[in-house]
Amino acid sequence: MENIEKKPIVKFKVITIFPDFFKPMLEYGVFSRAYKKGLISFETIDLRDFTNDNYKSVDDEPYGGGSGMVFKPVPLGKAIKKAKSKKETKVVYLTPSGRVFNSDIAKELAKEEELVFICGRYEGIDQRIVDLYVDYEVSIGDYVISGGEPAAMVVIDAIARHVEGVVKEMESVVKDSFYDGLLDYPHYTRPETYNGRKVPEVLLSGDHKRIELWREKMKLVETLTKRPDLLEKAKLTQTQKKLLTEIKEQLRKLT
Ligand code: 6GU
């Protein structure tokens, strides 16, 4: 595979009031394997360790009144300073007000050596923390979840997949949905007939050129029918443009 940039190891550090939330990530699956192999490092930082009152309070009422609580700047600022081992370290704040996370952001962040994540709860964090320390505000979609922790897991997993060696075959990352801005082609495995439905004949042909072409075409069909918005942004190759014209022509004839 050409054009796969070599990535350095990435250190993930997560500031949270629920460090145990992240334990399963280190126990199961691709991320855990990469962690155990030392390809990535992962550390949680308990925000309560940076409080100095008996109640270990991390939040307070918002100035100006209103509902909800806000993460206080003092403990959070201390936690961020502790987490960053150098001043170039990027800080990512998980918030529904952020830029919607995607494969391009994942690839970009995978080039960093160290990343600090802030998981918010309640109404959010003091704005001065955002202004002073945050480099990226990231959301995982247009809905609200109760805290940044599941969002951090999603984002960290997606970034780790772009780090060299994390996914056994970089080829499968390159072929994943979204790597080139398109959805993936459909996949089939044994048996050849399931509930009366046969696997597409081309996949049984052994003709690798034809299979490759079918898959390229199906990626376009999938994207055109399910996520046409992606096609507008995708940088298509000449072959893909030609295939797309053919597909649209065939669809026109059907309707
Ligand atoms: Cl990053 N956090 C929260 N609390 N809700 C979200 C989100 C993040 N992204 C989408 N919804």
Side-chain angles (χ1 to χ4, degrees):
M1 278 272 138
E2 88 274 34
N3 222 0
I4 303 169
E5 315 95 300
K6 278 257 187 289
K7 305 283 163 34
I9 180 163
V10 183
K11 293 183 182 137
F12 296 102
K13 295 184 178 177
V14 183
I15 299 170
T16 173
I17 54 167
F18 296 130
D20 289 350
F21 226 107
F22 295 88
K23 281 186 176 164
M25 282 189 87
L26 306 180
E27 276 181 54
Y28 305 104
V30 169
F31 191 86
S32 151
R33 194 184 59 94
Y35 173 76
K36 287 171 184 161
K37 279 174 81 178
L39 297 169
I40 47 168
S41 76
F42 182 87
E43 209 182 300
T44 51
I45 292 165
D46 191 340
L47 185 56
R48 293 197 196 277
D49 291 345
F50 299 86
T51 55
N52 47 22
D53 62 307
N54 287 339
Y55 304 101
K56 292 185 183 294
S57 62
V58 292
D59 60 329
D60 204 340
E61 293 160 350
Y63 274 119
S67 64
M69 297 289 270
V70 179
F71 269 7
K72 286 140 58 102
V74 175
L76 198 46
K78 284 183 187 164
I80 294 167
K81 279 193 199 139
K82 177 79 184 299
K84 287 175 72 162
S85 70
K86 50 192 173 69
K87 77 173 194 320
E88 299 79 40
T89 297
K90 296 286 188 288
V91 176
V92 182
Y93 170 40
L94 284 317
T95 166
S97 311
R99 218 173 115 200
V100 178
F101 188 69
N102 62 26
S103 178
D104 291 338
I105 305 176
K107 276 184 244 179
E108 184 182 325
L109 293 179
K111 292 177 188 151
E112 300 291 333
E113 269 175 49
E114 182 174 84
L115 289 166
V116 172
F117 294 85
I118 304 168
C119 302
R121 285 261 146 189
Y122 317 111
E123 297 307 301
I125 67 177
D126 190 287
Q127 184 60 32
R128 291 163 291 186
I129 291 294
V130 179
D131 300 341
L132 287 167
Y133 301 113
V134 171
D135 300 290
Y136 293 85
E137 288 182 82
V138 170
S139 160
I140 56 165
D142 295 335
Y143 45 84
V144 173
I145 56 173
S146 316
E149 285 79 7
M153 284 193 220
V154 168
V155 166
I156 290 169
D157 188 296
I159 295 168
R161 292 178 61 81
H162 293 283
V163 175
E164 192 69 35
V166 168
V167 176
K168 276 199 191 88
E169 302 260 359
M170 204 55 191
E171 190 186 323
S172 61
V173 175
V174 173
K175 286 187 174 170
D176 272 344
S177 284
F178 298 111
Y179 192 91
D180 58 1
L182 299 175
L183 301 185
D184 204 359
Y185 52 78
H187 301 259
Y188 296 88
T189 187
R190 277 180 281 272
E192 214 176 290
T193 305
Y194 171 71
N195 271 17
R197 287 161 184 261
K198 283 206 72 173
V199 169
E201 179 276 325
V202 56
L203 299 178
L204 310 172
S205 70
D207 182 342
H208 295 293
K209 270 227 152 64
R210 252 184 85 211
I211 293 170
E212 204 54 46
L213 189 66
W214 180 85
R215 286 178 169 165
E216 272 305 312
K217 197 166 168 180
M218 289 311 290
K219 282 173 60 169
L220 292 162
V221 171
E222 290 286 294
T223 314
L224 182 66
T225 52
K226 294 179 185 166
R227 293 289 307 276
D229 58 303
L230 292 176
L231 275 180
E232 281 158 33
K233 285 180 277 173
K235 291 188 190 74
L236 300 182
T237 63
Q238 281 310 114
T239 318
Q240 286 173 325
K241 281 180 190 162
K242 211 172 132 237
L243 281 172
L244 188 61
T245 313
E246 282 172 29
I247 292 163
K248 284 181 174 168
E249 194 57 42
Q250 282 170 355
L251 288 174
R252 229 191 327 270
K253 280 180 195 156
L254 288 173
T255 53

